[in-house]
Amino acid sequence: MAIFEATEENISKAADLIQAGELVSFATETVYGLGANALSSEACEKIFIAKERPHYDPLIVHIASLDQLPTVAKDVSEEVLNKLKQFWPGPLTAVLKKQSCIPDSITANLDTVAVRIPGHPLALSLLKAANTPIAAPSANPFGYLSPTTAQHVDRQLGPKVQMILDGGECDCGLESTIVNFTSDTPEILRHGGYTRKDIEKICGPVNLGKAILEQPLAPGQLASHYSPETKLVILSKEQKPDASLNFGILTHSGLNEGIECKYIERISPSGNAKEAAHNLFSALHRLDQLKLDIIYAYEFSEEGLGSAIMDRLRKAAVKMKK
Ligand code: TXA
Ligand code: MG
């Protein structure tokens, strides 16, 4: 069993493993990460291998505090720094100009680097103990559902990682919001744990990145991501499941009259998007384990965190090419 309780002793062991160039999975407030020393391309190469992740997909670099920011990013203006201070620690990833000590192999040869200070005390303790920035994508095989518990990581990547530090269920349950701060107007590249409104409260009006803008127009063009093994189809409120199939349902709370289903995941009994985000991936993991013909997900309103939830569902609905 690769799962370890988050004791001081285990955190220190995990920090030693990071220093020795090995992989450690750990809880953050968003999803579990698969971490390696961000200053070592050899160590980070193990992440790409374990996840079967293509090198064109760059990694996020996690730091313990703002003091570490100049180590990984350069030319950060006072103005941007002041904004970052208000989001961190928390579910914001900032795309900034990269420092040369960050290997090109982990940023897909970009001259930018994605940086974040996570909000989970376990992640922060590990970062402090390891005394190095830690590159960490979500701890799932490339393209699959993100893990929000240590057990999810163990099931998906267990044999490939020496230690999974158990920090309980991730509070937020969705990945961080990625914002590009290298353009004149900040640009949201991925919806996530901070809503657009949260970002705009501090940054003023932001642009939406190309990938986000194209999503509703061309869902067929989307790279598959966050996908269960089981086929997933999004239904509008009026649509009904195909009763000839063995199906499961993901919904906020209720169901239209006349729909019968043995496997229902109600991810927001109180109608709160934060609660829905927190439960989303766990519910999908449970439904996926049932080996159903199909998972039907009822659509969510795109208000607030709803945009991030619908983003994950749309990508989950595009089947992975194997
Ligand atoms: O909440 C999170 O962000 C989690 C936890 C573990 O921190 N991490 C995470 O990493 O979701 P990952 O690898 O699953 O997603 C990172 C995304 C990738 O899709 C990548 O394209 C984007 O960040 N990214 C990384 N570096 C970038 C850069 N320099 N410019 C634009 N996008 C970048
Ligand atoms: Mg991921």
Side-chain angles (χ1 to χ4, degrees):
M1 181 64 117
I3 299 179
F4 290 77
E5 232 185 289
T7 59
E8 217 170 290
E9 194 189 341
N10 286 336
I11 291 172
S12 154
K13 257 191 220 162
D16 290 346
L17 283 172
I18 295 281
Q19 275 296 341
E22 299 298 333
L23 300 182
V24 170
S25 175
F26 57 98
T28 82
E29 81 283 28
T30 58
V31 300
Y32 274 70
L34 181 65
N37 183 350
L39 304 182
S40 158
S41 56
E42 289 79 19
C44 290
E45 185 55 27
K46 295 181 184 170
I47 295 179
F48 287 97
I49 293 170
K51 278 184 62 103
E52 296 182 40
R53 180 180 177 114
H55 285 87
Y56 61 71
D57 197 4
L59 306 178
I60 293 176
V61 173
H62 298 70
I63 54 175
S65 67
L66 279 170
D67 304 344
Q68 260 183 339
L69 189 61
T71 318
V72 299
K74 64 178 180 187
D75 305 336
V76 183
S77 67
E78 275 302 311
E79 192 193 335
V80 169
L81 195 62
N82 282 332
K83 289 173 184 156
L84 296 180
K85 276 181 190 161
Q86 299 177 65
F87 291 113
W88 284 343
L92 173 87
T93 292
V95 172
L96 302 165
K97 285 266 173 230
K98 175 178 107 66
Q99 281 288 18
S100 55
C101 66
I102 299 293
D104 291 332
S105 56
I106 75 163
T107 60
N109 290 314
L110 295 168
D111 60 358
T112 55
V113 60
V115 187
R116 121 175 164 90
I117 302 181
H120 196 299
L122 164 58
L124 289 171
S125 304
L126 175 65
L127 281 160
K128 276 183 202 132
N131 197 26
T132 181
I134 295 180
S138 51
N140 50 277
F142 182 67
Y144 287 89
L145 294 173
S146 297
T148 54
T149 66
Q151 289 71 29
H152 294 159
V153 181
D154 195 32
R155 214 166 45 231
Q156 293 189 315
L157 290 178
K160 297 184 176 176
V161 41
Q162 289 193 30
M163 265 186 118
I164 302 167
L165 280 177
D166 191 350
E169 259 184 58
C170 300
D171 187 30
C172 175
L174 287 176
E175 296 80 355
S176 59
T177 304
I178 303 181
V179 180
N180 178 12
F181 285 97
T182 65
S183 50
D184 290 341
T185 306
E187 185 184 33
I188 297 186
L189 302 180
R190 175 175 76 180
H191 290 300
Y194 279 125
T195 64
R196 180 178 184 170
K197 217 166 157 188
D198 295 332
I199 304 292
E200 291 194 324
K201 213 153 77 189
I202 290 166
C203 297
V206 295
N207 290 330
L208 293 186
K210 195 161 167 268
I212 287 181
L213 289 173
E214 279 175 359
Q215 262 178 38
L217 303 177
Q221 303 289 306
L222 286 179
S224 173
H225 228 90
Y226 316 110
S227 285
E229 300 262 7
T230 315
K231 180 178 173 161
L232 183 142
V233 168
I234 300 173
L235 295 184
S236 66
K237 283 186 193 70
E238 302 75 36
Q239 284 178 303
K240 289 197 166 156
D242 176 349
S244 69
L245 298 174
N246 184 24
F247 65 88
I249 289 181
L250 181 107
T251 180
H252 349 65
S253 50
L255 271 187
N256 288 347
E257 263 179 53
I259 298 175
E260 279 182 31
C261 178
K262 266 196 286 187
Y263 311 109
I264 303 179
E265 289 286 348
R266 292 184 167 84
I267 63 173
S268 177
S270 65
N272 171 330
K274 218 169 163 187
E275 175 187 49
H278 171 81
N279 291 323
L280 176 71
F281 281 124
S282 275
L284 286 172
H285 275 282
R286 277 193 296 274
L287 287 169
D288 201 26
Q289 284 197 287
L290 297 172
K291 306 287 170 217
L292 302 163
D293 295 335
I294 192 162
I295 298 169
Y296 290 111
Y298 274 97
E299 67 184 2
F300 284 73
S301 125
E302 305 252 0
E303 287 280 296
L305 281 175
S307 330
I309 294 173
M310 282 307 293
D311 165 73
R312 305 308 186 265
L313 288 177
R314 282 196 197 98
K315 288 185 176 155
V318 180
K319 207 64 207 135
M320 278 273 275
K321 285 192 201 81
K322 294 219 170 138

